[in-house]
Amino acid sequence: MEGVQQASRRICRLVSWRISLLRFSILFTMAATGSNGTVDLLEKLLQIFKEERVFDRSGDQPVVQFVQPKDLQEKISCSLNDKPASDEQIEAVIRQAIRYSVKTSSPHFHNQLYAGVDEFGLAGSWLTETLNTSQYTYEVAPVFTLMEREVIRMSLTLVDYPLMPDADGIMSPGGTISNMYGMVLARYKKAPEVKKKGVNHLPPLVCFTSEDGHYSIIKAAHWLGLGTDNVYKVKTDELGRMKPDDLKRLIAKARAAGCTPFFVNATAGTTVLGAIDPLPEIARICQDEGLWLHVDACLGGTLLLSKKYRPLLQGIELSDSVAWNPHKMLGAPLQCSLFLVKGKNALHNANNASATYLFQQDKFYDVSWDTGDKSVQCGRKVDAMKFWLMWKARGTSGFRQSVDHAMSCADYFLKRIKETTGFRLVLPAYQCCNVCFWYIPPSMREKEENEDWWHKLYVITTTIKKRLTLEGSLLIGYTPLPQKNIGNFFRMVVNCQPPPTESSMDYVIRQIEKSAADL
């Protein structure tokens, strides 16, 4: 009882603190706008947030009130026209948007690789949205430019890269763009003339990623004109990790076909299984073959903050570039992605276009602080502020405790799955914060596990998912692994925000058992 009371008091303090932050944001915006209409709306918004329990982490509210698209169109008027809406109509649609949206801050949301938002990051988001500036020049974002540089410096330290100017980084819209940065820089290093002449004069450029790697590599090959056929998929082992011997085989195959290998994407925390590729072995192959090694650590990069789990990413320091998404496991507000790279001016040399209306070289301040020309974007959100504020408030030690706690809960969930009747693991072990499993209802136990049996289990997985979603009691994802000839199974994701508990882990098991009792 005492533990429950302590948890309740903590939740109350958290909600009160978040409301205070929101009040500060509203007052700040009111002062900035000076608009009576805006003031009225923002004052009302605070009341709406309270009444609709936006910051509720208790878990006693539905994760979602799911409504089919056609029905939702009837409930919420999304039509736009000439006439402005009334204050009452605006309030109504705000309330509806909250009510019918997914509550990612619920302790029962495990559907994605992200979940609830860190309260310090949220405060940073309010500030950046209110100040509404872009990141391309120091002139328009002086404070945020300093913050981005410090976040990059600390992140380079985590990866054990050299510091500026011998390494660099940039905040990007997400992991897909961060991975694309890696491919662009690798291509530029292999053939600098590609920037002016394009890829037509080159032999086919070939890149490599594991069969369990993120689909962004396929998309990048399309966008960069390499062609998706020139992405070679490397086989993975029983835990979903890239096989170095198969990587070597495919590199030799590509060279024999007259292609030019240039880029290897290793993964630290695959999307489904959370697998971490053997980075030291892959790095040795890349060094021997003269290939760029990029590590997609969008998920697993958060483990760098932990002394206990950092060894799982041994070898990441041998890479040429890294992608990391603090908006995943760590709980930074979406969007918050980092691209880090070795090499002095590597980003600038590959990407600069020298727009004279922005990047004049005769400015009245040190123009080396202008970051826009090393970016693929022009307008760029000042995403560093929210992550900087999280880091400032919690310190690396606070991050470490948060990561260790989340991983401890993931380990607890894994243990419970192993010992609970009816549950079966897809893999015997997991390296990151994902746990993949099936639930076998009583009616299917002790039956022959033939092809029909497995097909039925895959269908039951989707049925359980549907029931849980429609009840609003739990959001948990499911997926097949076609490359392994495995059908639908549940993917449980344990994140740092909201802080998980053993009780919230047990809840997942109970809800699945309850939902499948009659199947």
Side-chain angles (χ1 to χ4, degrees):
M1 178 63 71
E2 183 179 351
V4 173
Q5 291 173 343
Q6 289 177 345
S8 177
R9 287 194 295 269
R10 184 180 181 279
I11 289 170
C12 289
R13 288 196 301 270
L14 177 63
V15 170
S16 176
W17 195 84
R18 284 189 166 201
I19 293 295
S20 297
L21 279 175
L22 180 58
R23 181 176 287 110
F24 166 76
S25 176
I26 288 174
L27 291 173
F28 185 91
T29 307
M30 288 161 52
T33 61
S35 166
N36 289 334
T38 302
V39 168
D40 292 342
L41 173 62
L42 294 177
E43 287 180 334
K44 189 66 175 178
L45 191 62
L46 177 58
Q47 180 182 340
I48 293 171
F49 277 17
K50 288 180 178 179
E51 293 172 355
E52 299 294 336
R53 302 177 66 176
V54 167
F55 302 119
D56 188 355
R57 288 183 170 185
S58 67
D60 62 1
Q61 298 294 305
V63 185
V64 63
Q65 295 183 46
F66 186 86
V67 180
Q68 296 291 349
K70 272 192 172 183
D71 297 329
L72 191 58
Q73 283 181 314
E74 295 179 4
K75 286 179 175 291
I76 301 180
S77 175
C78 292
S79 62
L80 301 172
N81 49 55
D82 280 348
K83 294 182 179 179
S86 66
D87 292 346
E88 292 75 16
Q89 289 172 321
I90 293 295
E91 179 181 340
V93 79
I94 289 173
R95 290 185 184 274
Q96 287 175 314
I98 295 170
R99 289 172 186 173
Y100 294 109
S101 291
V102 174
K103 308 306 188 292
T104 58
S105 287
S106 167
H108 309 318
F109 177 85
H110 304 283
N111 210 69
Q112 313 301 142
L113 297 177
Y114 66 86
V117 65
D118 181 285
E119 52 263 32
F120 293 103
L122 180 60
S125 291
W126 287 337
L127 283 171
T128 58
E129 294 303 315
T130 302
L131 292 169
N132 192 39
T133 192
S134 186
Q135 189 74 65
Y136 34 61
T137 65
Y138 177 84
E139 182 178 355
V140 296
V143 178
F144 300 132
T145 299
L146 300 182
M147 289 177 173
E148 183 180 52
R149 181 173 288 197
E150 180 61 8
V151 165
I152 290 168
R153 185 188 72 81
M154 290 294 289
S155 299
L156 291 172
T157 301
L158 284 180
V159 180
D160 202 18
Y161 271 13
L163 298 181
M164 296 176 179
D166 297 318
D168 199 0
I170 196 167
M171 305 291 294
S172 85
T176 292
I177 302 299
S178 291
N179 288 338
M180 196 178 295
Y181 269 117
M183 293 183 74
V184 168
L185 267 64
R187 186 179 65 175
Y188 182 79
K189 181 178 181 181
K190 176 65 70 174
E193 68 274 17
V194 74
K195 187 172 179 180
K196 291 185 177 180
K197 298 180 179 180
V199 297
N200 292 335
H201 73 292
L202 298 173
L205 295 174
V206 170
C207 63
F208 306 84
T209 189
S210 87
E211 60 184 358
D212 290 342
H214 194 259
Y215 69 91
S216 59
I217 303 301
I218 296 287
K219 287 198 171 187
H222 159 52
W223 272 54
L224 299 180
L226 307 178
T228 58
D229 286 348
N230 289 320
V231 179
Y232 284 40
K233 296 289 189 70
V234 185
K235 293 186 182 301
T236 55
D237 63 16
E238 66 281 358
L239 295 181
R241 303 170 298 191
M242 181 187 287
K243 291 183 174 181
D245 287 345
D246 197 54
L247 174 61
K248 288 193 288 187
R249 177 185 70 82
L250 289 176
I251 292 171
K253 179 181 177 181
R255 294 194 192 281
C259 299
T260 301
F262 79 106
F263 175 88
V264 174
N265 176 67
T267 310
T270 57
T271 305
V272 175
L273 300 174
I276 299 173
D277 290 337
L279 302 179
E281 296 174 67
I282 296 171
R284 282 195 292 272
I285 294 171
C286 290
Q287 290 168 359
D288 292 343
E289 298 284 352
L291 303 181
W292 183 286
L293 174 57
H294 173 75
V295 178
D296 175 357
C298 288
L299 176 59
T302 294
L303 300 182
L304 293 167
L305 292 159
S306 167
K307 291 179 180 178
K308 180 177 180 180
Y309 295 100
R310 172 65 169 80
L312 290 173
L313 275 71
Q314 180 183 357
I316 195 171
E317 69 281 356
L318 303 173
S319 64
D320 296 288
S321 57
V322 169
W324 174 33
N325 286 0
H327 69 229
K328 284 195 164 75
M329 182 183 179
L330 197 60
L334 284 158
Q335 58 195 27
C336 186
S337 181
L338 278 154
F339 173 74
L340 306 171
V341 60
K342 288 179 180 174
K344 188 173 183 178
N345 296 325
L347 275 162
H348 184 269
N349 292 338
N351 295 320
N352 79 85
S354 303
T356 55
Y357 75 96
L358 274 178
F359 308 119
Q360 306 94 330
Q361 297 304 294
D362 57 353
K363 291 184 178 181
F364 58 92
Y365 61 85
D366 181 358
V367 296
S368 68
W369 287 90
D370 289 350
T371 60
D373 217 11
K374 69 181 182 181
S375 167
V376 70
Q377 300 166 254
C378 181
R380 186 162 65 89
K381 287 181 69 67
V382 287
D383 289 323
M385 169 65 194
K386 50 198 172 190
F387 189 33
W388 180 91
L389 192 57
M390 288 170 59
W391 213 326
K392 185 71 172 178
R394 299 191 182 279
T396 307
S397 61
F399 280 160
R400 181 183 309 122
Q401 292 171 10
S402 183
V403 173
D404 288 348
H405 176 71
M407 290 295 288
S408 174
C409 286
D411 290 341
Y412 173 81
F413 185 79
L414 177 64
K415 177 177 177 292
R416 291 283 286 115
I417 290 293
K418 287 180 177 179
E419 67 187 19
T420 304
T421 302
F423 288 86
R424 182 180 300 182
L425 289 167
V426 176
L427 301 180
Y430 295 88
Q431 295 175 289
C432 201
C433 57
N434 299 358
V435 179
C436 299
F437 63 93
W438 292 282
Y439 179 67
I440 305 166
S443 65
M444 293 183 63
R445 298 171 198 169
E446 309 302 329
K447 300 288 181 67
E448 180 186 356
E449 298 183 9
N450 54 27
E451 186 176 343
D452 289 341
W453 185 93
W454 279 102
H455 177 72
K456 183 178 180 181
L457 183 62
Y458 300 153
V459 173
I460 281 177
T461 300
T462 65
T463 302
I464 296 172
K465 161 72 175 182
K466 176 182 177 181
R467 289 182 174 185
L468 293 170
T469 303
L470 293 179
E471 292 169 1
S473 60
L474 175 69
L475 276 185
I476 182 171
Y478 74 88
T479 181
L481 271 184
Q483 64 271 26
K484 299 288 189 184
N485 295 315
I486 297 175
N488 293 328
F489 55 85
F490 291 109
R491 181 192 68 168
M492 170 71 171
V493 184
V494 182
N495 288 297
C496 296
Q497 297 294 336
T501 63
E502 292 184 358
S503 175
S504 65
M505 301 295 100
D506 291 335
Y507 176 90
V508 174
I509 292 174
R510 290 197 307 271
Q511 289 301 310
I512 290 175
E513 289 175 325
K514 176 184 173 183
S515 181
D518 64 336
L519 295 178

